[in-house]
Amino acid sequence: MKKRRRAKRAYRNNNRQWDTHQCTWAMPVKGAIAIILLTILGVCYALVYISTESMAGQVASEEARHAALRAELEQETAKWNALKDPSHLAVAMLGHGFRMSQPSHRQYVSMQRTGPLLPAPGSAPAAYAVNR
């Protein structure tokens, strides 16, 4: 037995009443484009402003870090200069077993030129320093 088919009926959209007046707000296309462009420009300006403020904060923090590093460098330089002071060096070397004093007149080294300026190839180097 064959199934009975339903007769096709015309589709009717009951959700919209085509004959009733719709409340719409009409705006010219140029006005809508102008509002959209102004909104986009406002958002772009806000993004640029926020990013520049963020970068300014980062620059300020890096400048503070630079100033702190500069102060630390000055402290380290002063400390190193104090360590290189001859009196401090004498105490430090005495702690390692070396007695540091002014050299006597026999310990001065003078330089004088004897022989050629450069040693000959294959020979021993010439002695330039002579004790008096």
Side-chain angles (χ1 to χ4, degrees):
M1 186 170 223
K2 222 175 181 187
K3 239 182 179 182
R4 266 175 93 184
R5 286 192 167 189
R6 215 191 258 189
K8 286 193 175 186
R9 57 183 183 180
Y11 176 75
R12 183 176 164 155
N13 185 357
N14 293 327
N15 292 333
R16 184 175 293 228
Q17 301 293 326
W18 293 105
D19 53 349
T20 60
H21 177 69
Q22 298 292 321
C23 295
T24 59
W25 183 59
M27 174 184 257
V29 174
K30 289 182 180 179
I33 290 173
I35 289 175
I36 290 171
L37 285 177
L38 287 174
T39 305
I40 290 173
L41 286 175
V43 168
C44 289
Y45 176 76
L47 289 175
V48 168
Y49 180 77
I50 290 170
S51 65
T52 54
E53 287 296 316
S54 160
M55 282 190 243
Q58 288 178 352
V59 167
S61 68
E62 290 297 324
E63 284 176 349
R65 183 171 159 251
H66 176 71
L69 288 174
R70 171 101 33 206
E72 183 181 348
L73 174 68
E74 288 175 8
Q75 288 175 354
E76 290 292 326
T77 304
K79 192 169 146 183
W80 179 248
N81 288 337
L83 285 175
K84 290 192 310 184
D85 187 50
S87 62
H88 190 273
L89 282 176
V91 171
M93 290 183 76
L94 193 58
H96 290 286
F98 295 104
R99 188 170 145 251
M100 186 174 148
S101 62
Q102 292 291 331
S104 67
H105 71 283
R106 299 188 79 221
Q107 292 175 321
Y108 284 111
V109 176
S110 64
M111 306 294 276
Q112 65 182 0
R113 185 171 163 191
T114 60
L117 188 60
L118 295 175
S123 66
Y128 290 112
V130 176
N131 286 336
R132 288 187 183 176

